[in-house]
């Protein structure tokens, strides 16, 4: 497997300050890499789509940082990292509109969210080969409305992008396992 793309320097600095361990760092890099593929593909196929590309990348790079406070959730179930993550990032200077992804990446089916939040949730599932039809449908609907295209056209493009990411899920999972 190729190495995941480097995290943005400001995000890498924050993760270093938080003493993020190798497993969590690998996970965040992999989700960031998947998010990069998604937003790059969307920008290419839908140049009129208005969304905050950088916010999605920031969210993907930091969405699970609350696991620093709840290390048992690195390998087991739990939602406390989602609750505590935003405040932790804000203490390190991350704006609340970016820190929110810690909370929203796991709540995409609990409340109406912006496209950026849904894209972070998508990257957090697709990186490991998982597909969630309901999540992808919400994204298709928002993109179709945003660019004035039929949902089937958007679905076809999104499906192609996510399939390309998901088909390497086993390799990414192995990469993460090698880091703790």
């Amino acid at each position: 497997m190729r190495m995941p793309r480097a995290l943005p320097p400001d995000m890498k600095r924050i993760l270093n300050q938080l003493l993020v361990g190798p497993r969590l760092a690998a996970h965040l890099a992999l989700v960031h890499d998947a998010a990069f593929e998604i937003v790059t593909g969307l920008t290419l196929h839908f140049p009129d789509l208005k969304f905050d590309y950088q916010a999605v990348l920031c969210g993907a790079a930091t969405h699970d940082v609350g696991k620093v406070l709840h290390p048992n959730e690195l390998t087991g179930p739990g939602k406390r990292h989602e609750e505590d993550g935003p405040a932790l990032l804000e203490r390190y200077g991350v704006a609340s509109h970016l820190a929110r992804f810690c909370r929203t990446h796991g709540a995409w089916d609990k409340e109406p969210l912006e496209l950026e939040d849904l894209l972070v949730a998508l990257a957090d599932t697709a990186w490991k080969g998982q597909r969630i039809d309901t999540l992808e449908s919400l994204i298709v609907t928002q993109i179709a409305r945003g660019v004035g295209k039929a949902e089937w056209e958007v679905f076809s493009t999104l499906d192609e992008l996510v399939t390309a990411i998901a088909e390497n899920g086993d390799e990414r999972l192995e990469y993460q396992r090698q880091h703790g």
Side-chain angles (χ1 to χ4, degrees):
M1 175 186 149
R2 71 166 175 75
M3 294 290 293
R5 287 170 183 81
L7 296 175
D10 53 337
M11 294 297 107
K12 190 170 178 123
R13 178 185 49 78
I14 290 168
L15 297 181
N16 287 338
Q17 289 173 339
L18 288 167
L19 303 175
V20 167
R23 182 183 179 91
L24 180 54
H27 172 69
L28 295 172
L30 290 165
V31 175
H32 172 266
D33 196 64
F36 182 89
E37 293 294 325
I38 293 166
V39 297
T40 300
L42 291 177
T43 301
L44 177 67
H45 292 284
F46 305 111
D48 296 332
L49 180 62
K50 304 285 188 248
F51 72 102
D52 190 340
Y53 181 106
Q54 293 302 322
V56 174
L57 295 179
C58 175
T62 60
H63 72 284
D64 272 348
V65 77
K67 290 183 179 183
V68 167
L69 302 173
H70 305 286
N72 59 315
E73 294 181 14
L74 279 168
T75 55
K79 298 279 187 186
R80 291 174 46 211
H81 73 279
E82 295 173 7
E83 298 164 17
D84 296 339
L88 178 62
L89 281 178
E90 288 174 26
R91 282 196 303 272
Y92 282 83
V94 176
S96 61
H97 78 280
L98 296 174
R100 78 178 193 262
F101 295 106
C102 291
R103 182 183 57 78
T104 63
H105 79 275
W108 62 266
D109 60 344
K110 309 272 188 284
E111 60 186 279
L113 295 171
E114 300 294 323
L115 178 60
E116 292 84 355
D117 301 274
L118 298 175
L119 293 175
V120 171
L122 178 61
D124 190 36
T125 58
W127 76 274
K128 60 188 171 194
Q130 184 179 6
R131 303 287 300 263
I132 302 176
D133 292 339
T134 309
L135 173 59
E136 292 178 32
S137 293
L138 290 170
I139 293 168
V140 165
T141 299
Q142 283 202 25
I143 293 172
R145 284 188 198 139
V147 298
K149 290 196 181 265
E151 287 191 13
W152 67 265
E153 289 180 83
V154 174
F155 170 81
S156 179
T157 300
L158 185 68
D159 183 58
E160 191 175 300
L161 292 171
V162 178
T163 297
I165 293 165
E167 59 191 21
N168 295 315
D170 288 341
E171 291 174 22
R172 287 190 189 93
L173 284 164
E174 181 57 32
Y175 177 87
Q176 180 177 284
R177 273 191 287 275
Q178 292 172 1
H179 288 85

